[in-house]
Amino acid sequence: MNSLEGVVVQIQGLSSSAGDISRLHVILKQAEESLRSESTRLSPILNQLDPSNHSLGYLYILEACTSASVSREQAAMLVPYIARFISYCAPEQIRLAPEKFIAVCKRFKDQVMLLGTPMRGVAPLQAAVRKLQNSSEHLTTLHPEFLLLCLLAKCYKTGLSILEEDIFEVDQPRDLFLYCYYGGMICIGQKRFRKALELLHNVVTAPMSSINAIAVEAYKKYILVSLIHNGQFSTSLPKYTSSAAQRNLKNHCQPYIELANSYSTGKIAELEQYVQTNGEKFESDNNLGLVKQVVSSMYKRNIQRLTQTYLTLSLQDIANTVQLNSPKEAEMHVLQMIQDGEIFATINQKDGMVRFLEDPEQYKSCEMIERIDSSIQRIMSLSRKLTTMEEQMSCDPQYLAKAGRERQRFDFDDFDTVPQKFNI
């Protein structure tokens, strides 16, 4: 059974029924060391196996093949094998050895990055995530790997397909941090700032015993996206934020908090001066592009403030008030804001006058009613899910044991008051 030929025969003969696959799994575990010792001779064996029918055996061979470090030439040879295996493997077989499947997928990600072709890894890793998941609510270790490849390949829309799903089950805390951080960056790339804020907020407020680099970088982007999307930023965090984050995050992000303070003054010249002075810091953090969007958003905020004061204003007056270089530049900003639905206005091209209007949405169209109904249904579904989770947690032995240890032995407030004397 130590010979490679014998292993191949066992894989081919024991991959039909569930009972046979269980026996094969035991055999492969016993042969694991010998397979790794023969790792350089294993790649030709893959041609004798079918990844869809012999998924478990194929996985063990592939894991042993990739266990040692590989060169670019070896990576170029292995990547097609792994991509084909991920696409065609049977989920019920690879879930018998999830740690090996995860290891192979992570090495696959490393290999496509070594080759400088992250695009080649996007579709296979998306398929890997689906095959490893118990349900769409399950966050696997492969989620962050997939989102990282989406970022590197600039396949933002592909990454969004997974980010739309609600997550309730997490394997490892680090997976959640990276999933939300990479997901936030993908949403920033698509200018979906509301969703980006939600994901980055999850990183910053997630339970942590000590501060970590992912939370620090997420907080920097959270500040910038808050300014772009909301036009303001508050340093106060929710009560459920860990004490480690409450105490330390601000100290690691001081230039960004000062940027927010400068933004709050509404003075574009001071903001631009601050960005110029601290440009190297923002660039070293790979946030300079986002900082420039913050500066651009200040022009929009200042124009929005004008809509609250004036009904009609000339493009020249807008340019002077907002500190733009020309009426033409003011016109471009106003047109873009109208297109994005940020203001409601019309421009008279003859006299260069801008007329600000009220929001025309009456919230009674069929489309709007459907959107409201969809939101209500989703909230109701989430409420039911939270109730179920709370009931499960209240019956969990580990939770009850921990809660019991932390609670005082006697809580006299739980008892009814007893009179000290009885009058007969």
Side-chain angles (χ1 to χ4, degrees):
M1 203 30 238
N2 289 329
S3 68
L4 294 179
E5 293 77 11
V7 173
V8 173
V9 170
Q10 293 281 10
I11 292 172
Q12 291 172 337
L14 295 174
S15 295
S16 55
S17 66
D20 285 346
I21 291 172
S22 296
R23 288 170 55 201
L24 175 64
H25 196 194
V26 174
I27 294 170
L28 289 171
K29 284 180 179 179
Q30 294 171 349
E32 192 170 349
E33 291 301 322
S34 60
L35 287 175
R36 290 199 173 202
S37 65
E38 299 282 355
S39 60
T40 56
R41 296 176 50 208
L42 292 177
S43 53
I45 294 177
L46 295 173
N47 294 321
Q48 302 176 41
L49 301 174
D50 182 352
S52 58
N53 295 325
H54 310 130
S55 300
L56 185 61
Y58 203 106
L59 174 59
Y60 266 79
I61 300 291
L62 205 53
E63 194 276 335
C65 273
T66 58
S67 58
S69 59
V70 298
S71 63
R72 284 179 61 89
E73 292 74 20
Q74 291 171 317
M77 183 271 293
L78 285 169
V79 161
Y81 279 106
I82 302 176
R84 181 168 174 266
F85 167 71
I86 292 173
S87 298
Y88 292 102
C89 67
E92 62 274 9
Q93 290 194 38
I94 60 101
R95 286 176 187 166
L96 294 173
E99 70 290 340
K100 292 198 175 295
F101 185 68
I102 290 169
V104 167
C105 290
K106 287 187 174 183
R107 292 167 193 166
F108 172 70
K109 182 263 296 182
D110 293 337
Q111 288 166 14
V112 295
M113 290 176 64
L114 178 65
L115 296 173
T117 55
M119 178 75 78
R120 294 177 67 181
V122 172
L125 271 195
Q126 185 177 21
V129 166
R130 296 306 186 195
K131 292 187 176 184
L132 192 61
Q133 278 183 308
N134 299 321
S135 71
S136 61
E137 298 175 351
H138 176 208
L139 178 67
T140 71
T141 303
L142 295 181
H143 274 78
E145 309 291 336
F146 165 67
L147 292 177
L148 176 59
L149 286 185
C150 288
L151 274 172
L152 295 174
K154 292 183 169 57
C155 295
Y156 301 137
K157 289 185 178 179
T158 307
L160 284 174
S161 64
I162 277 185
L163 293 171
E164 294 297 334
E165 298 167 352
D166 292 319
I167 297 296
F168 294 99
E169 182 183 347
V170 180
D171 288 341
Q172 296 293 333
R174 186 173 182 272
D175 299 336
L176 177 65
F177 280 100
L178 287 174
Y179 167 80
C180 291
Y181 179 65
Y182 291 148
M185 293 176 68
I186 285 174
C187 290
I188 290 170
Q190 286 291 97
K191 295 193 181 300
R192 294 186 57 174
F193 294 121
R194 182 188 296 276
K195 182 66 175 177
L197 272 179
E198 176 189 325
L199 290 165
L200 295 171
H201 181 269
N202 289 343
V203 181
V204 173
T205 59
M208 63 184 88
S209 56
S210 61
I211 204 72
N212 62 70
I214 305 171
V216 170
E217 294 306 311
Y219 192 55
K220 292 174 182 178
K221 288 181 170 59
Y222 180 71
I223 294 171
L224 298 177
V225 176
S226 294
L227 295 175
I228 294 170
H229 184 67
N230 297 326
Q232 59 185 358
F233 171 75
S234 173
T235 55
S236 60
L237 293 169
K239 291 181 180 180
Y240 53 82
T241 308
S242 68
S243 57
Q246 295 271 17
R247 288 194 308 266
N248 300 310
L249 276 179
K250 297 171 190 175
N251 299 332
H252 291 279
C253 306
Q254 204 57 43
Y256 293 84
I257 292 174
E258 292 175 3
L259 176 75
N261 292 336
S262 177
Y263 188 99
S264 64
T265 65
K267 298 177 181 178
I268 191 70
E270 291 182 9
L271 181 65
E272 289 178 335
Q273 179 61 43
Y274 182 83
V275 170
Q276 187 175 356
T277 304
N278 295 273
E280 290 184 5
K281 168 63 178 172
F282 296 133
E283 190 167 11
S284 66
D285 290 341
N286 293 317
N287 285 329
L288 187 57
L290 207 52
V291 169
K292 289 180 178 178
Q293 291 187 57
V294 170
V295 176
S296 178
S297 73
M298 179 175 273
Y299 289 111
K300 293 182 179 181
R301 296 298 167 190
N302 289 340
I303 291 174
Q304 283 178 329
R305 290 191 186 98
L306 295 177
T307 67
Q308 300 169 7
T309 308
Y310 301 96
L311 290 175
T312 306
L313 205 60
S314 69
L315 289 169
Q316 182 64 62
D317 288 338
I318 293 175
N320 294 339
T321 306
V322 182
Q323 301 177 43
L324 291 167
N325 295 324
S326 65
K328 188 65 178 176
E329 193 172 343
E331 183 180 9
M332 295 303 295
H333 274 83
V334 171
L335 286 173
Q336 186 62 52
M337 292 178 72
I338 293 172
Q339 183 177 338
D340 294 341
E342 295 173 325
I343 62 171
F344 305 95
T346 58
I347 301 176
N348 189 323
Q349 296 291 342
K350 291 183 179 180
D351 55 13
M353 298 298 292
V354 179
R355 183 186 175 200
F356 299 118
L357 308 172
E358 295 292 330
D359 183 354
E361 178 60 63
Q362 298 296 313
Y363 297 96
K364 59 183 181 182
S365 64
C366 292
E367 182 183 356
M368 182 56 66
I369 291 171
E370 286 178 2
R371 286 177 59 186
I372 294 172
D373 181 65
S374 175
S375 297
I376 292 172
Q377 293 298 327
R378 183 170 181 272
I379 291 169
M380 291 171 64
S381 175
L382 285 172
S383 177
R384 288 192 295 268
K385 184 69 177 179
L386 286 171
T387 301
T388 303
M389 291 175 68
E390 185 178 16
E391 290 172 354
Q392 291 173 347
M393 186 177 293
S394 65
C395 299
D396 184 81
Q398 291 183 339
Y399 169 76
L400 292 173
K402 183 176 176 60
R405 286 195 302 269
E406 292 179 354
R407 198 173 168 187
Q408 293 181 6
R409 186 173 181 182
F410 297 106
D411 191 346
F412 291 104
D413 291 337
D414 290 342
F415 296 92
D416 293 332
T417 56
V418 179
Q420 299 296 318
K421 293 182 180 179
F422 294 90
N423 295 321
I424 298 177

